[in-house]
Amino acid sequence: MSFSPLINELVESLTILPGVGRKSAQRMALQLLERNRAGGLRLSAALSRAMDGIVRCRCCQNFAESDYCPVCLTDRRDAEQVCVVETPSDLAAIESAGGFKGRYFVLMGHLSPIDGIGPDEIGLTILAKQVTEGHIKEVILATNSTVEGEATAYFIAQMLANTSALVTRIAHGIPLGGELGYIDGGTLSHAFSGRKPVSND
Amino acid sequence: MSFSPLINELVESLTILPGVGRKSAQRMALQLLERNRAGGLRLSAALSRAMDGIVRCRCCQNFAESDYCPVCLTDRRDAEQVCVVETPSDLAAIESAGGFKGRYFVLMGHLSPIDGIGPDEIGLTILAKQVTEGHIKEVILATNSTVEGEATAYFIAQMLANTSALVTRIAHGIPLGGELGYIDGGTLSHAFSGRKPVSND
């Protein structure tokens, strides 16, 4: 390709973004150069600030700008409930749904022995310590409903079985607005085995 | 969304990239933070270097790192042929196809009076001057086969009609490997009106 070295370097660097191939990277680079150099410089500054400035919260492992994240620092959240999620975007999804007012514990992944990711790598020893030493009454497992997510949830439940905390798993079943004819078999049998008595109050 | 301000700023900045919405920007930001901080810093550096260091070639208007681009500086290209293209990626596509050994003139757009883009904005006065004063023998119009591209090609042909240079337009017709049954009507009639006698040598 007949671009100058600086443009080639920019195109190459843009391909590290997930979902961006060579062709999209080229389009991005040329569009920034042609129309939005100020935006490109802003993006450059934001990138370097975030890469250098973001650390992990010492309490919940989520991304934070200081030792503790805002959720762990505030007094207005229920410290007796801890919701375990795999990633910061899962946390963000739960927060934007609203309703949950407890704290979080972000694994930043899931158990995956084949990749060398064991309990220590996702901070489960820290979680166990927090549950044993603290006054956590309920641990809500909100890992993904994938094979790895389920295995991680099962492992955590086993790990916390002898503590005083109640360990719960978020419900799996038919999503709101879902039509039975379009739901897969696995979800349907989950929905049946997880059925609850209808209360009349 | 419950991200820290630095992450929100990064997500916001990433959405200036073409084809990147809020959700993809969030995925990009978190993936960089989790797995590739070094890559993120490299991208930041490449961005700021390119935004600050890329200028326009004084001869062909293409992106360059100094006053003249490599294609205009070299002696090994035919200075008597000039190929007019709309964007640097068009130039890159022609270069990677190989075969053309002349020089280029990059319009960085096309005529679009409704957006206030006239002949001066895309450098047509510079092109006219180069053709009148230089020793250019052929101007090959390789603007896109869109309404704006065709209008721009027609305008340039009119503008250069009284000069000694031959003005040509790249051929339009059936692409190699194309089956007639799947080709649109416009292309087919173009292919018929542009037919050439079969030579027997």
Side-chain angles (χ1 to χ4, degrees):
Chain A
M1 280 296 184
S2 288
F3 293 122
S4 74
L6 278 184
I7 301 184
N8 279 333
E9 189 197 343
L10 175 56
V11 170
E12 205 60 55
S13 306
L14 281 166
T15 55
I16 63 159
L17 297 172
V20 176
R22 230 195 128 66
K23 201 84 186 174
S24 326
Q26 188 179 309
R27 195 159 59 95
M28 289 172 172
L30 293 176
Q31 169 147 339
L32 285 183
L33 284 167
E34 276 169 43
R35 308 211 192 126
N36 200 352
R37 295 212 184 197
L41 288 173
R42 265 204 312 281
L43 173 57
S44 162
L47 266 169
S48 77
R49 270 200 300 273
M51 297 300 131
D52 286 333
I54 297 286
V55 292
R56 304 276 290 272
C57 170
R58 288 198 189 178
C59 177
C60 72
Q61 299 199 96
N62 193 11
F63 288 134
E65 287 171 38
S66 53
D67 285 350
Y68 294 95
C69 72
V71 176
C72 289
L73 277 179
T74 181
D75 290 335
R76 284 182 298 165
R77 316 256 332 187
D78 182 1
E80 297 186 338
Q81 276 190 324
V82 166
C83 175
V84 179
V85 292
E86 292 187 24
T87 64
S89 32
D90 297 341
L91 186 156
I94 296 175
E95 280 296 287
S96 68
F100 179 67
K101 289 293 164 227
R103 299 212 165 148
Y104 292 93
F105 190 85
V106 185
L107 302 175
M108 293 284 180
H110 44 239
L111 287 179
S112 179
I114 216 165
D115 303 313
I117 300 174
D120 282 344
E121 279 71 26
I122 56 175
L124 291 189
T125 35
I126 302 170
L127 177 66
K129 206 170 152 215
Q130 284 179 11
V131 174
T132 324
E133 295 177 0
H135 42 291
I136 294 171
K137 290 201 177 147
E138 182 177 3
V139 176
I140 302 168
L141 302 175
T143 54
N144 288 330
S145 180
T146 56
V147 176
E148 297 88 353
E150 291 291 349
T152 308
Y154 181 77
F155 185 93
I156 299 173
Q158 292 293 310
M159 181 181 82
L160 302 178
N162 295 327
T163 64
S164 59
L166 173 69
V167 180
T168 56
R169 179 94 174 100
I170 52 167
H172 293 96
I174 316 293
L176 285 200
E179 293 183 44
L180 292 200
Y182 295 93
I183 303 286
D184 67 294
T187 305
L188 262 183
S189 24
H190 242 95
F192 268 88
S193 63
R195 68 191 181 276
K196 291 197 291 188
V198 180
S199 63
N200 286 322
D201 21 87
Chain B
M1 278 296 182
S2 288
F3 293 121
S4 74
L6 279 184
I7 301 185
N8 279 334
E9 189 196 344
L10 176 56
V11 170
E12 204 60 59
S13 306
L14 281 166
T15 55
I16 63 157
L17 296 173
V20 176
R22 229 193 128 69
K23 201 84 187 172
S24 325
Q26 188 179 310
R27 196 160 57 94
M28 289 172 172
L30 293 177
Q31 169 145 339
L32 285 182
L33 284 168
E34 275 168 43
R35 307 211 193 127
N36 200 353
R37 296 212 184 194
L41 288 173
R42 267 204 310 282
L43 172 57
S44 162
L47 267 169
S48 77
R49 271 201 298 272
M51 297 300 131
D52 286 332
I54 297 286
V55 292
R56 303 276 291 272
C57 170
R58 289 199 188 176
C59 177
C60 73
Q61 299 199 98
N62 193 11
F63 287 134
E65 287 172 36
S66 53
D67 284 351
Y68 295 94
C69 73
V71 175
C72 290
L73 277 179
T74 181
D75 290 335
R76 285 182 298 165
R77 315 256 334 186
D78 182 1
E80 296 186 337
Q81 277 190 324
V82 167
C83 176
V84 180
V85 292
E86 291 185 25
T87 64
S89 33
D90 297 342
L91 186 157
I94 296 175
E95 281 295 287
S96 68
F100 179 67
K101 290 293 163 222
R103 298 209 166 151
Y104 291 92
F105 190 85
V106 184
L107 302 175
M108 293 284 180
H110 44 240
L111 287 179
S112 179
I114 215 164
D115 302 313
I117 300 175
D120 282 344
E121 279 72 25
I122 56 175
L124 291 188
T125 35
I126 302 171
L127 176 66
K129 207 170 153 217
Q130 284 179 11
V131 173
T132 323
E133 294 177 1
H135 43 291
I136 293 169
K137 290 200 177 146
E138 183 177 3
V139 177
I140 302 169
L141 302 175
T143 53
N144 288 330
S145 180
T146 55
V147 175
E148 297 88 353
E150 292 290 349
T152 308
Y154 181 77
F155 185 92
I156 299 174
Q158 293 291 311
M159 182 182 80
L160 301 177
N162 295 326
T163 63
S164 58
L166 174 69
V167 180
T168 56
R169 179 95 173 98
I170 52 167
H172 292 96
I174 316 293
L176 285 199
E179 293 184 45
L180 293 199
Y182 295 93
I183 304 285
D184 66 295
T187 305
L188 262 183
S189 25
H190 242 94
F192 268 88
S193 63
R195 69 189 181 278
K196 290 196 294 187
V198 180
S199 63
N200 286 323
D201 20 270

